[in-house]
Amino acid sequence: MPETSGHAVGPEGTVPRVPDPEVPAPEVAVPEVPAPEVVVPEVVVPEVAVPEVVVPLVPDPEVVPEGAVAEGVEVAVGAAVSHGAGLPADDDSPGARSGSRTRLAPLIGAAAALGVLVGTCAGYLVQVQRAPTPLPPLSQPYLTQAKGAGPERLPAAQDREVKTEGDLRKLLVPRPSGAQDPLFNAGADGWLSLPEYAGLFKKPAQAFSGLIADGFRRAAVADWREGKYNVEIRLVQYRQEERLAAKEAVENAKYWSEVDPGTTSRPVPGTGDGRVYVHSEPARESGAVPLYTAEAFAWRGDIAMEIWAYDSEPVPMKKIMGLAERQMGRL
């Protein structure tokens, strides 16, 4: 094998380049990377001001070689992220504003609850320290009873309630001598039940419910016939627990009597608003004889008076007026 400049030839026949022994090889200096100083973010939460966040110092990625990140930096960054510090952000960013509101809401709520609790406790302490207010005595001064005889009771003739609470049929005008029974008797034994009285109206079902609402109590009736002249007198009593039903019934009856054509009316003396109506036009119905009618309406206390007269000739005003005066005189 030939020799070349005193160097051995490589196995593949190539000569390796060996530096000249006389020239020293340059010494390569490996730079030392100092461990970065980790600053733990300090969060200061004032009472109202936005918390101040201190951002940790992160080494420049251009200076630190790739893969040479210290373990301390990773730990610090992880801790900062877990505590909500994160990377530095602008104070006007949505994240910063939402974080501030999130922190302030619990503080304000806790302060309000604490204020209410403190106020309640303070009020209780003030009330406990006050002297108790004495209660008024339970016993009242004794009232001496007046001596002497009391006022006498009204006789039954003057006590109106005694009259109306008794047998209502006794207050009806008695039948005149020589009078006959009517062709059709109203009621039974001088009484009119609620269905019988409601059946006298043009709309019985409506009248029945109206009488119940008005507090219908009872009704007494007297009727007779003198030749062709027929008379029917009714005394209708109401409970009058809520309103003056007797007066309202009379007002309603007078209204329907006044609307008929050819009607003449006169007030009943001594009754206030009692009135008599005489009709000059007969009531005509198919298959029936025309009849002239006259009515009288008045009320006293809880009793409404109704008088109906029928004749084949016009009823004289004097005749119906005399009946009304006599009946109201008995009430």
Side-chain angles (χ1 to χ4, degrees), residues 87-102:
L87 297 178
D90 189 4
D91 292 338
D92 295 334
S93 62
R97 290 195 298 269
S98 62
S100 300
R101 295 192 187 98
T102 304

Side-chain angles (χ1 to χ4, degrees), residues 170-195:
K170 295 182 179 180
L171 297 180
L172 291 167
V173 172
R175 177 184 297 187
S177 59
Q180 302 174 358
D181 292 337
L183 298 178
F184 302 97
N185 288 322
D189 196 20
W191 293 104
L192 274 174
S193 63
L194 176 58

